[in-house]
Amino acid sequence: MKKLTLLLGVLVLALGLLAAGCGGGKKAEKGQDPVLTKDELIVGTEPSFAPFEFPKENSKELTGFDMELIEALAKDMGYKKCTIKNMGFDALIPAVNNDNLDVAVSGFTITEERKKQVLFSQPYYKSGLALVVRKENADIRSIDDLGGKKIAVQIGTTGAMYAEKLKSKGAEVKTFNTSDLACMELKNKGVDAVISDRPVLQYFLAQGGNAYAKMVGKALSAEDYGIVISKKHPELQKALDKSLDNLKQNGTYDKLYEKWFGEKPAK
Ligand code: GLN
């Protein structure tokens, strides 16, 4: 009898090991999208968008609200590893659709136009566009003063789309690969104004940009950020939304929000 128990014990142990080896950290359910059962979540971002995604000082490692949020989400979803890949902002949606990335997290505004191409998670941050000019500029006080002026924007962004509409009022639009480069052009007097996301411009001003730049006028838009997912993976969208709910309930989301924005998220 003792022998039999021992034998059974060994068998159970062996089966357990086998299951762990096959299934990774998670248990695959029949018919489930394999993207949910692999060990590693591959995330794409354009990392010059502080405080959402940017390199740590003297390091290639990325940090920011988006980066810490997706790390926490990946963990909650059961992935063992969350790998971040850098690429141009306008390359992110194509890479998600080619399955080169599982998701893109890069301060993406949820727009109707993008929804034709990809799925979005539930909104995770309330944002909007704003206008920045040089400190000494006294004639641009709002968006209505941009006729005949030069505006810098980041390629493929909602700021670029907004500026496009101002062309009919005689504005000239210069496009840059990153928001940082657009602000640099303002410093170098190559443009009169920058249109970009308000929290990113606020962070840029607080980090020293206010030596030569200031924000003017009201917020230009109200936008929600979402995580980008391919239309091929609706189950991944559901799983992300569920984990976002979990992080909102267990306090992780609020903790990250307060860490990066110095205030509690608006309810
Ligand atoms: N929120 C803006 C957009 O989605 C800008 C994002 C970014 O530059 N990373 O277009």
Side-chain angles (χ1 to χ4, degrees), residues 31-42:
Q32 204 180 22
D33 186 340
V35 75
L36 288 169
T37 51
K38 61 197 187 91
D39 285 345
E40 185 184 24
L41 184 73
I42 315 261

Side-chain angles (χ1 to χ4, degrees), residues 1-9:
M1 190 63 195
K2 245 189 193 165
K3 254 192 194 159
L4 193 68
T5 324
L6 195 74
L7 194 72
L8 268 173

Side-chain angles (χ1 to χ4, degrees), residues 70-84:
I70 195 68
E71 281 273 350
L73 285 170
K75 206 166 161 193
D76 190 80
M77 288 161 84
Y79 290 99
K80 286 185 182 151
K81 210 172 153 203
C82 175
T83 303
I84 312 278

Side-chain angles (χ1 to χ4, degrees), residues 49 53 89 106-109 114 154 156-158 197 223 225:
F49 209 60
E53 39 270 334
F89 186 70
S106 205
F108 266 99
T109 301
R114 288 177 180 153
Q154 181 185 356
T157 59
T158 46
D197 292 26
E223 303 183 358
Y225 289 170

Side-chain angles (χ1 to χ4, degrees), residues 99-152:
D99 277 335
N100 284 334
L101 299 173
D102 296 323
V103 295
V105 187
S106 205
F108 266 99
T109 301
I110 302 173
T111 68
E112 289 310 311
E113 221 175 342
R114 288 177 180 153
K115 273 197 201 161
K116 288 180 197 154
Q117 295 174 271
V118 289
L119 300 173
F120 279 101
S121 68
Q122 58 168 301
Y124 69 84
Y125 181 83
K126 282 197 180 311
S127 188
L129 297 172
L131 178 63
V132 161
V133 298
R134 267 189 310 283
K135 221 172 154 183
E136 71 279 5
N137 189 318
D139 24 287
I140 305 175
R141 280 189 223 107
S142 80
I143 206 74
D144 303 323
D145 303 322
L146 287 175
K149 303 287 189 215
K150 287 186 186 143
I151 312 167

Side-chain angles (χ1 to χ4, degrees), residues 129-131 143 146 149-154 157-175 193-196 220:
L129 297 172
L131 178 63
I143 206 74
L146 287 175
K149 303 287 189 215
K150 287 186 186 143
I151 312 167
V153 294
Q154 181 185 356
T157 59
T158 46
M161 289 175 228
Y162 193 99
E164 198 59 30
K165 287 188 273 172
L166 298 171
K167 277 186 175 170
S168 62
K169 293 186 179 156
E172 191 186 316
V173 180
K174 282 189 168 184
T175 306
V194 173
I195 297 180
S196 185
L220 308 180

